[in-house]
């Protein structure tokens, strides 16, 4: 804002040499009106958001992320049911220690994008670890999964291709698709009959490459995509499959995007994993990768520790499943109507009668 004001002041000084004081006053008035128009529009939209009941307020947590957290201005800790910290890794001592050590060995940041001087051995180690975890050929890291989704479709698809997307896909998938020039088809949520119809429409439109895009787990309702059925349809029609964050048919999905910012430590970072040639092309063309700073070394080291923990034992996942089953049973027993499923995204359709 200070720079903007200085710039405007400098412009005004320059204008004094060429225009009359009256013209200068008109210039200043037009600048003020433009600023007021922007503020007026912001106020109007904020009022609409508040009237709709969707205005978001940020609670200030004053402790590490956990099942019980301290909140600013509250005397007692509160139970936290809304974090994505499913495996309890956000403050796991081994994860924290790995991040701390990396600060000493690899520094805080790299002040560079990957292809100039922003790739450390840690980045390549994490990419290899993720590839081994998924059974894929290669992996590319991004600052977030939103960036991974934003950088995927534009880099891989052209106007002669088609993308076929679930109607309830995450906003980042929707935004990523908007950036590409491919023909777009949207199928009804998890409806395999409608999906096949849309694939056939893409075929009739002459699509060279057909990419089906779906969330693995739809986080608003906890629906788990029928990835096996989607893969079967893709194979039948010569299409490819992209999933975000979840895949229950190992080795059969062409492209998987996921985040390091939820269950896998809860820091920052995302990735795309798949065939080596696809990943190499993304390194050359994916704009969020090419024009964003490298993931910080401490975050990378912490993520390596996360994959080490998950690869060495299933204890954390087993505990999560036990806790999920218990919570679902007890919520149902208390009279809540719970959407069916076995996953830890537990959504209640209605509160118990009082």
């Amino acid at each position: 804002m200070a720079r903007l004001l200085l710039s405007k002041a400098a412009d005004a000084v320059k204008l004094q040499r060429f225009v009359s004081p009256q013209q200068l006053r008109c210039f200043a008035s037009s600048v003020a009106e433009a600023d007021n128009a922007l503020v007026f529009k912001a106020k109007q939209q904020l009022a609409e958001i508040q009237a709709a009941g969707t205005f978001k307020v940020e609670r200030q947590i004053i402790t590490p992320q956990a099942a019980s957290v301290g909140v600013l201005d509250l005397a007692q800790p509160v139970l936290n049911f809304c974090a994505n910290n499913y495996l309890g890794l956000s403050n796991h001592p081994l994860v924290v220690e790995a991040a701390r050590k990396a600060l000493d060995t690899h520094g805080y940041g790299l002040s560079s994008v990957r292809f100039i001087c922003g790739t450390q051995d840690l980045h390549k180690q994490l990419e290899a670890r993720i590839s081994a975890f998924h059974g894929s050929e290669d992996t590319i890291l991004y600052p977030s999964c939103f960036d991974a989704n934003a950088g995927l479709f534009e880099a891989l698809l052209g106007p002669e291709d088609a993308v076929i997307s679930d109607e309830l896909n995450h906003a980042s998938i929707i935004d990523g698709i908007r950036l590409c020039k491919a023909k777009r088809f949207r199928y009804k949520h998890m409806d395999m009959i409608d999906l096949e119809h849309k694939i056939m429409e893409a075929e009739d439109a002459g699509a060279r490459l057909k990419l089906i895009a779906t969330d693995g787990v739809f986080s608003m309702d906890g629906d788990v995509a029928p990835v096996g059925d989607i893969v079967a349809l893709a194979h039948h029609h010569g299409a490819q499959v992209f999933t975000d964050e979840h895949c229950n048919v190992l080795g059969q999905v062409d492209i998987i995007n996921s985040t390091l910012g939820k269950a896998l430590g809860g820091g920052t970072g995302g990735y795309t994993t798949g065939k080596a040639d696809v990943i190499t092309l993304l390194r050359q063309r994916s704009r969020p990768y090419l024009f964003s700073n490298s993931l910080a070394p401490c975050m990378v080291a912490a993520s390596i520790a996360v994959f080490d923990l998950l690869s060495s034992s299933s204890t954390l996942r087993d505990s999560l499943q036990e806790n999920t089953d218990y919570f679902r049973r007890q919520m149902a027993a208390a009279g809540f109507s719970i959407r069916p499923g076995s996953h830890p995204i537990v959504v209640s359709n209605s509160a118990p009668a009082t």
Side-chain angles (χ1 to χ4, degrees):
M1 178 57 112
R3 287 185 180 179
L4 180 61
L5 292 173
L6 288 172
S7 175
K8 290 177 180 177
D11 289 342
V13 171
K14 292 176 184 177
L15 282 170
Q16 284 178 340
R17 302 174 186 173
F18 306 105
V19 301
S20 67
Q22 182 178 2
Q23 289 174 315
L24 186 60
R25 285 193 295 272
C26 289
F27 168 77
S29 175
S30 65
V31 171
E33 287 177 4
D35 285 345
N36 289 339
L38 178 62
V39 172
F40 175 79
K41 183 174 183 179
K43 287 180 179 294
Q44 187 179 43
Q45 292 187 5
L46 286 171
E48 292 171 358
I49 293 170
Q50 289 174 328
T54 57
F55 188 86
K56 291 165 279 294
V57 178
E58 298 175 354
R59 301 174 181 84
Q60 297 183 49
I61 297 174
I62 56 176
T63 62
Q65 187 66 273
S68 176
V69 294
V71 178
L72 186 67
D73 297 329
L74 291 183
Q76 299 293 329
V78 298
L79 293 177
N80 181 6
F81 285 95
C82 55
N84 298 311
N85 186 26
Y86 304 113
L87 299 174
L89 291 172
S90 294
N91 196 40
H92 192 286
L94 293 180
V95 176
V96 173
E97 181 59 24
R100 184 180 293 115
K101 286 182 178 178
L103 287 170
D104 294 331
T105 60
H106 288 72
Y108 171 68
L110 287 163
S111 303
S112 174
V113 297
R114 285 284 299 270
F115 75 93
I116 297 179
C117 58
T119 297
Q120 292 179 322
D121 55 341
L122 287 175
H123 294 91
K124 302 307 291 185
Q125 289 170 22
L126 176 56
E127 288 170 342
R129 201 67 57 90
I130 293 171
S131 298
F133 184 81
H134 284 282
S136 58
E137 294 180 3
D138 199 4
T139 296
I140 178 173
L141 292 173
Y142 287 88
S144 70
C145 190
F146 203 111
D147 284 322
N149 287 337
L152 179 78
F153 303 96
E154 182 184 24
L156 299 182
L157 304 177
E160 68 279 9
D161 302 317
V163 59
I164 307 156
S165 176
D166 188 291
E167 65 180 354
L168 295 187
N169 273 338
H170 190 270
S172 59
I173 299 176
I174 295 170
D175 287 356
I177 291 172
R178 285 172 176 167
L179 292 172
C180 79
K181 296 179 180 179
K183 301 174 183 67
R184 304 169 196 172
F185 300 86
R186 186 171 65 174
Y187 66 94
K188 296 176 183 177
H189 180 50
M190 299 199 318
D191 186 328
M192 295 300 97
I193 295 175
D194 194 45
L195 171 57
E196 184 162 31
H197 288 163
K198 294 301 186 292
I199 295 173
M200 294 169 68
E201 286 181 29
E203 291 172 343
D204 292 341
R208 179 193 63 177
L209 187 154
K210 303 178 291 293
L211 181 63
I212 303 168
T214 181
D215 265 313
V217 176
F218 294 83
S219 57
M220 293 303 294
D221 294 323
D223 295 333
V224 178
V227 180
D229 294 338
I230 293 172
V231 167
L233 279 176
H235 287 171
H236 181 71
H237 289 277
Q240 279 70 47
V241 178
F242 157 84
T243 64
D244 184 321
E245 291 195 355
H246 172 83
C247 175
N248 55 10
V249 281
L250 191 65
Q252 298 184 53
V253 171
D254 300 279
I255 305 169
I256 299 173
N257 279 10
S258 194
T259 178
L260 303 172
K262 292 183 179 179
L264 302 181
T268 60
Y271 61 85
T272 299
T273 191
K275 297 291 185 183
D277 287 340
V278 173
I279 301 304
T280 300
L281 181 58
L282 290 175
R283 292 191 196 279
Q284 300 301 312
R285 287 189 174 175
S286 182
R287 293 170 72 85
Y289 177 82
L290 291 170
F291 299 106
S292 296
N293 262 17
S294 298
L295 202 57
C298 59
M299 293 293 179
V300 177
S303 297
I304 292 172
V306 166
F307 280 97
D308 286 345
L309 283 166
L310 296 180
S311 299
S312 63
S313 170
S314 65
T315 300
L316 292 174
R317 283 171 287 175
D318 295 341
S319 177
L320 172 62
Q321 192 61 61
E322 291 173 6
N323 290 340
T324 298
D325 293 343
Y326 175 80
F327 184 71
R328 283 180 172 276
R329 289 196 306 271
Q330 296 303 315
M331 288 290 284
F336 288 87
S337 175
I338 302 297
R339 287 179 65 91
S342 59
H343 47 78
I345 302 174
V346 182
V347 180
S348 175
N349 294 323
S350 63
T354 56

